[in-house]
């Protein structure tokens, strides 16, 4: 029974069965959060893609609704692919999405709700004149997809951007429209980066540099930077960069060309793709959805009857302490699932030791942990692991002077299975410290046919800051956030022993030369209600 398989998550959004991929058209409308997603109604593998639909009052508990759009016209008969919603000031909603045509050409289509007075937006109408956009000259017929939410410009026109590539240069085309029916292709592109390949699921939005608030998509002016994100088809990661948008030239310029889109920062260093933000006018925040696929085998997905989850939606803010990255943090509503908590204060974890944390069953947890490394050891160390790199430096078992130390989650009592999330400090002879935040899946499961990667990257740590991490553990997913969300890692893991009541939690310190003092607060997490809308016979 697919519903009983232990890898199934308990508070992350996933369909009852079959395949899911990208988040589509998220928005808040008349009291409901709407979430659409790429879905295969027939199997647990990609194909036959429709737009499935769910609604929620709080982004955590969900009700499945009937499919919003299925493949039923020549212009989307090979798939109703990804797209975005735009809420117009007059109260209308437009949905732009990519259709794969009868000839598998990628075109952009327009759809809108049949009945704006229905808060559930159950029925959708495809515009009779679809497609509204076809690949322009010079753009490959299969390199043209995933329109963004539109933004409004001072000259009273809407603009949307659509990802593409020219040879191996990833790029984003800009169109201008007044009515979402006829469009004009702008001369320049929003941005392009050589060598990054096809840009899928481009996202483009403002962030405030002066307040911890979200901005609606059309906001420009002082105190604003713009984020440009592309999902790289070639390496399946979501890359973003901060920069400046010039509405005169319709182009965006990165703050730091060395950290440009596709060659710099990622939203998440684990399994995370095809993400999309929306402005939540209900709470004045910008919320990020991201798709986390499976890392087991396709055969295993078919057997369990489902594939993929969505991460807990994250609030996105500009980090005005570093000035050079975003912060991502799970929406506060997830905290409503917190049950009993346990505090552990100033636990000493000696060099080379493991300390059990008795929280009972540890399959559904929200963990906040702070670490202080022994000051004398830190200062006394002349030089440590300058060439460190999460993925290539031996994972959690590789011992250095000042790391790794952190948590073992989804571990069994004997530690025969364990997923580690940890910090690792390297020190240059100049005294400069670099902190890494990593997650090691290499011993996460006794199964052979599952991904076992070591993920991670550096995380900025400012003077006087303690090292801190937050983890959301939910059976087969671990979402990890370091330093308030400067660096994030999502792991999918498939333990065979560390399941149900056998799952445990530990602290570990594999540094050779330093002990760490740790304080934690750990909540058991309730399950979320994710089920069909009551009394809806059509599902
Ligand atoms: C990204 C993507 C999109 C496309 C959709 C099809 O995962 O390939 O580019 O619109 O998925 O399902």
């Amino acid at each position: 029974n697919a519903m009983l398989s232990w890898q199934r998550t308990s508070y992350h959004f996933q369909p009852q069965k079959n395949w899911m991929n990208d988040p589509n058209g998220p928005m808040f409308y008349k009291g409901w959060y709407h979430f659409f997603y790429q879905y295969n109604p027939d199997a647990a593998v990609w194909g036959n893609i429709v737009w499935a639909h769910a609604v929620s009052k709080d982004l955590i508990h969900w009700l499945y609704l009937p499919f919003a759009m299925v493949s039923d016209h020549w212009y989307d008969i090979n798939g109703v692919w990804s797209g975005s919603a735009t809420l117009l000031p007059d109260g209308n909603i437009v949905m732009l999405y990519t259709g794969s045509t009868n000839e598998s050409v990628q075109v952009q289509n327009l759809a809108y709700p049949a009945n704006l007075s229905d808060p559930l937006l159950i029925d959708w109408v495809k515009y009779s004149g679809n497609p509204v956009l076809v690949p322009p000259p010079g753009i490959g017929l299969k390199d043209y997809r995933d329109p963004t939410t539109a933004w409004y410009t001072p000259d009273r026109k809407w603009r949307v951007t659509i990802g593409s590539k020219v040879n191996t240069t990833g790029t984003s085309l800009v169109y201008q429209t007044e009515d979402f029916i006829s469009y004009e292709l702008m001369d320049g592109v929003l941005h392009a980066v050589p060598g990054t390949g096809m840009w899928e699921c481009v996202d483009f939005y403002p962030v405030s540099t002066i307040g911890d608030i979200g901005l609606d998509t059309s906001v420009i002016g002082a105190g604003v930077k713009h984020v440009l994100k592309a999902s790289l088809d070639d390496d399946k990661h979501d890359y973003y960069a901060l920069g400046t948008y010039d509405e005169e030239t319709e182009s965006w310029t990165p703050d730091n060309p060395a950290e440009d889109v596709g060659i710099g920062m990622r939203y998440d260093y684990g399994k995370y793709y095809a993400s999309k933000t929306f402005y939540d006018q209900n709470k004045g925040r910008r919320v990020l959805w991201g798709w986390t696929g499976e890392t087991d085998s396709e055969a295993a997905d078919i057997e369990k009857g489902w594939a993929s989850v969505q991460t807990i939606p994250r609030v996105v803010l500009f980090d005005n302490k570093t000035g050079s990255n975003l912060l991502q943090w799970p929406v506060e509503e997830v905290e409503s699932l917190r049950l009993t908590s346990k505090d552990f204060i100033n636990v000493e974890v000696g060099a080379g030791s493991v300390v059990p944390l008795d929280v009972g069953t540890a399959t559904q947890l929200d963990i906040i942990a702070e670490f202080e490394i022994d000051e004398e050891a830190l200062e006394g160390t002349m030089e440590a692991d300058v060439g460190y790199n999460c993925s290539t430096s031996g994972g959690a078992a590789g011992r250095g002077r000042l790391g790794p130390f952190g948590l073992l989650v989804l571990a069994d009592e004997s530690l025969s299975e364990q997923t580690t999330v940890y910090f690792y400090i390297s020190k240059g002879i100049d005294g400069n410290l670099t902190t890494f935040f990593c997650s090691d899946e290499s011993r996460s499961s006794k199964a052979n046919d599952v991904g076992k990667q070591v993920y991670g990257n550096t995380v900025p740590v400012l003077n006087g800051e303690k090292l801190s991490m937050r983890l959301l553990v939910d059976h087969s997913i671990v979402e990890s956030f370091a330093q308030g969300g400067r660096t994030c890692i999502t792991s999918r893991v498939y333990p065979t022993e560390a399941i149900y009541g056998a799952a445990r939690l530990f602290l570990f310190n594999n540094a050779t030369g330093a002990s760490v003092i740790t304080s934690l607060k750990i909540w058991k997490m309730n399950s979320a209600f994710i089920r069909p809308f009551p009394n809806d016979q059509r599902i």
Side-chain angles (χ1 to χ4, degrees):
N1 183 332
M3 296 300 292
L4 289 177
S5 78
W6 68 87
Q7 299 100 334
R8 227 179 135 78
T9 63
S10 288
Y11 63 91
H12 282 75
F13 181 83
Q14 54 179 136
Q16 285 178 301
K17 56 178 184 184
N18 296 327
W19 166 274
M20 168 175 69
N21 56 295
D22 313 359
N24 291 152
M27 66 174 136
F28 180 81
Y29 186 69
K30 289 194 193 292
W32 292 92
Y33 289 99
H34 287 260
F35 182 66
F36 305 86
Y37 50 101
Q38 296 281 286
Y39 183 66
N40 182 349
D42 306 320
V45 298
W46 186 87
N48 320 311
I49 295 291
V50 305
W51 272 42
H53 185 191
V55 288
S56 171
K57 287 278 176 184
D58 63 0
L59 293 166
I60 299 296
H61 303 285
W62 291 92
L63 297 164
Y64 304 115
L65 289 176
F67 299 150
M69 296 192 277
V70 299
S71 299
D72 52 9
H73 287 79
W74 68 269
Y75 54 75
D76 61 13
I77 203 71
N78 275 304
V80 187
W81 288 3
S82 287
S84 308
T86 304
L87 305 182
L88 306 188
D90 66 3
N92 277 301
I93 298 173
V94 301
M95 204 62 98
L96 285 174
Y97 72 93
T98 300
S100 178
T101 70
N102 51 354
E103 291 176 343
S104 292
V105 173
Q106 292 166 12
V107 299
Q108 316 312 326
N109 300 314
L110 170 64
Y112 47 90
N115 177 8
L116 282 168
S117 61
D118 171 16
L120 300 180
L121 299 173
I122 287 183
D123 295 314
W124 288 78
V125 179
K126 294 177 186 173
Y127 169 59
S128 58
N130 277 339
V132 292
L133 285 168
V134 299
I139 292 296
L141 302 181
K142 295 182 181 184
D143 305 326
Y144 182 63
R145 57 185 179 271
D146 312 332
T148 62
T149 295
W151 64 98
Y152 199 59
T153 60
D155 58 353
R156 300 216 184 88
K157 289 186 173 142
W158 292 95
R159 298 212 161 103
V160 293
T161 186
I162 299 171
S164 186
K165 69 171 176 184
V166 174
N167 300 318
T168 58
T169 297
T171 189
S172 202
L173 309 173
V174 183
Y175 288 89
Q176 165 168 297
T177 182
E178 286 174 80
D179 54 11
F180 292 92
I181 291 170
S182 59
Y183 296 77
E184 182 193 340
L185 179 60
M186 308 302 284
D187 279 342
V189 295
L190 186 62
H191 194 54
V193 182
T196 54
M198 176 66 197
W199 284 10
E200 297 188 311
C201 301
V202 169
D203 199 9
F204 180 60
Y205 57 91
V207 286
S208 171
T209 58
I210 48 183
D212 288 343
I213 51 159
L215 299 178
D216 204 346
T217 310
S218 304
V219 173
I220 52 170
V224 172
K225 281 187 189 290
H226 275 78
V227 176
L228 180 59
K229 185 277 296 189
S231 302
L232 298 201
D233 198 13
D234 290 352
D235 82 346
K236 295 287 179 233
H237 293 295
D238 279 15
Y239 290 86
Y240 77 93
L242 290 158
T244 304
Y245 171 55
D246 180 348
E247 70 276 6
E248 302 271 293
T249 61
E250 278 316 313
S251 68
W252 172 93
T253 312
D255 286 352
N256 176 0
E259 295 268 290
D260 206 342
V261 178
I263 59 171
M265 294 176 288
R266 292 193 206 159
Y267 276 156
D268 191 297
Y269 289 85
K271 183 76 180 169
Y272 189 90
Y273 195 64
S275 63
K276 184 183 297 301
T277 63
F278 73 104
Y279 177 66
D280 171 12
Q281 72 277 22
N282 183 38
K283 290 203 168 184
R285 58 188 175 177
R286 184 160 286 273
V287 176
L288 172 68
W289 277 100
W291 163 45
T292 294
E294 303 295 322
T295 59
D296 61 356
S297 67
E298 193 170 282
D301 293 346
I302 291 166
E303 197 180 318
K304 66 186 198 270
W306 56 270
S308 302
V309 307
Q310 303 288 333
T311 55
I312 298 298
R314 302 172 179 177
V315 172
V316 178
L317 290 172
F318 174 71
D319 184 353
N320 45 33
K321 292 201 180 115
T322 63
S324 56
N325 56 274
L326 293 172
L327 297 173
Q328 300 165 59
W329 200 247
V331 292
E332 60 187 4
E333 288 90 335
V334 77
E335 295 163 26
S336 71
L337 297 175
R338 288 173 172 173
L339 299 168
T340 54
S341 68
K342 237 176 160 172
D343 292 289
F344 298 85
I345 311 289
N346 294 335
V347 181
E348 175 157 2
V349 193
S353 70
V354 172
V355 175
L357 295 170
D358 182 15
V359 292
T361 300
T363 45
Q364 294 176 217
L365 299 175
D366 185 349
I367 304 170
I368 290 181
E370 273 188 356
F371 298 83
E372 276 177 286
I373 188 158
D374 180 57
E375 227 11 76
E376 261 172 53
L378 193 60
E379 273 161 24
T381 300
M382 292 308 294
E383 192 245 47
D385 306 295
V386 264
Y388 192 77
N389 173 308
C390 292
S391 318
T392 56
S393 296
R399 302 190 63 177
R401 286 238 4 119
L402 305 173
F405 53 87
L407 287 157
L408 304 177
V409 303
L410 296 171
D412 63 321
E413 197 67 55
S414 70
L415 300 180
S416 70
E417 289 182 330
Q418 50 177 274
T419 296
T420 53
V421 181
Y422 53 93
F423 289 110
Y424 194 107
I425 300 172
S426 82
K427 185 175 183 181
I429 27 177
D430 52 8
N432 284 344
L433 303 177
T434 307
T435 305
F436 291 82
F437 184 56
C438 322
S439 175
D440 178 356
E441 301 175 341
S442 61
R443 285 166 295 162
S444 60
S445 175
K446 288 186 177 157
N448 297 318
D449 58 344
V450 303
K452 295 182 183 177
Q453 295 199 55
V454 186
Y455 298 121
N457 197 52
T458 56
V459 57
V461 180
L462 304 182
N463 268 340
E465 285 182 351
K466 286 186 184 168
L467 298 179
S468 66
M469 58 170 86
R470 166 129 182 240
L471 270 61
L472 295 174
V473 179
D474 188 7
H475 298 269
S476 60
I477 184 169
V478 183
E479 291 190 63
S480 306
F481 305 83
Q483 303 308 109
R486 289 184 187 140
T487 299
C488 311
I489 309 172
T490 299
S491 286
R492 290 305 303 282
V493 289
Y494 306 89
T496 61
E497 309 268 337
I499 60 174
Y500 301 123
R504 294 277 174 273
L505 178 68
F506 300 84
L507 283 165
F508 83 101
N509 176 12
N510 257 341
T512 56
S515 62
V516 294
I517 305 283
T518 307
S519 293
L520 309 96
K521 191 170 186 78
I522 302 164
W523 290 266
K524 291 213 187 204
M525 294 294 271
N526 209 341
S527 301
F529 292 113
I530 303 175
R531 54 194 186 189
F533 202 90
N535 304 321
D536 199 315
Q537 302 306 313
R538 288 164 297 184
I539 300 176

